[in-house]
Amino acid sequence: MWSFKQPAAWGRLARLTVVLAAASLTAGCFEPLYGTHPSVATETVRDKLAQIDVPMIVVPKGQPVSRLAVALRNSLQYGLNGAGGANAPTYTLKIGMATTVMSVVVDITSGRPDAQVDSVIAYYQLVEIATGRAVLAESTFAHVDYDIPGAAQRFAKQRAQRDAEDRATEVVSDAIRNRLASYFVAGT
């Protein structure tokens, strides 16, 4: 026969009430990383990101990486300051990038690749304009894979590769933006 123990149930209810009360007290202390309301005497992370100038990424002209360099710069500008350009920039973000393509599955009868992995690698420096000092220098990368539908569908292969490269560029852009936001919050 099942019996309900009154004191144990009240003890659990009291503990749950204490936990919920403590959680509600700390809920007012939460501030989003990209919040728009400035702190008492400082700028928000969004304000600091909007002060970063992203110059053109120098890559060889006429190469497939040049399209990705433009896409990465556009994605960074949109992520940092809404594509409006830096207002009174205090930092410059210098970027170098490279790509690699690796065939991972090859059809044994035709010798053509069935699946490939593209990589986008970006090396970046955040330079303080006033002093010319690099305050942050790091690299990031993204690996994306895609399938090649067959030898007769060459345009499908090109579209799949382009979509994969665009995905990799967005991942790299988000990683750079998040690292810059982390730098402005933590200072390291």
Side-chain angles (χ1 to χ4, degrees), residues 17-48:
T17 304
V18 169
V19 168
L20 289 176
S24 67
L25 289 175
T26 62
C29 301
F30 175 74
E31 183 178 342
L33 180 62
Y34 300 108
T36 57
H37 300 294
S39 300
V40 176
T42 62
E43 296 175 312
T44 63
V45 172
R46 181 178 287 184
D47 295 335
K48 292 198 180 263

Side-chain angles (χ1 to χ4, degrees), residues 47-137:
D47 295 335
K48 292 198 180 263
L49 291 176
Q51 296 173 352
I52 298 175
D53 180 42
V54 183
M56 296 296 290
I57 300 171
V58 180
V59 292
K61 293 183 181 180
Q63 300 294 321
V65 73
S66 61
R67 182 187 72 81
L68 297 177
V70 170
L72 179 62
R73 180 176 184 258
N74 290 344
S75 180
L76 278 169
Q77 280 188 324
Y78 185 76
L80 295 175
N81 51 39
N87 298 332
T90 57
Y91 295 96
T92 299
L93 184 64
K94 296 180 180 179
I95 302 171
M97 66 182 298
T99 61
T100 61
V101 178
M102 181 176 60
S103 297
V104 291
V105 178
V106 177
D107 184 9
I108 57 172
T109 57
S110 67
R112 295 178 184 257
D114 283 339
Q116 289 187 328
V117 175
D118 278 18
S119 300
V120 174
I121 305 137
Y123 309 95
Y124 59 96
Q125 282 187 338
L126 184 65
V127 178
E128 199 172 33
I129 293 175
T131 62
R133 184 175 61 101
V135 294
L136 181 68

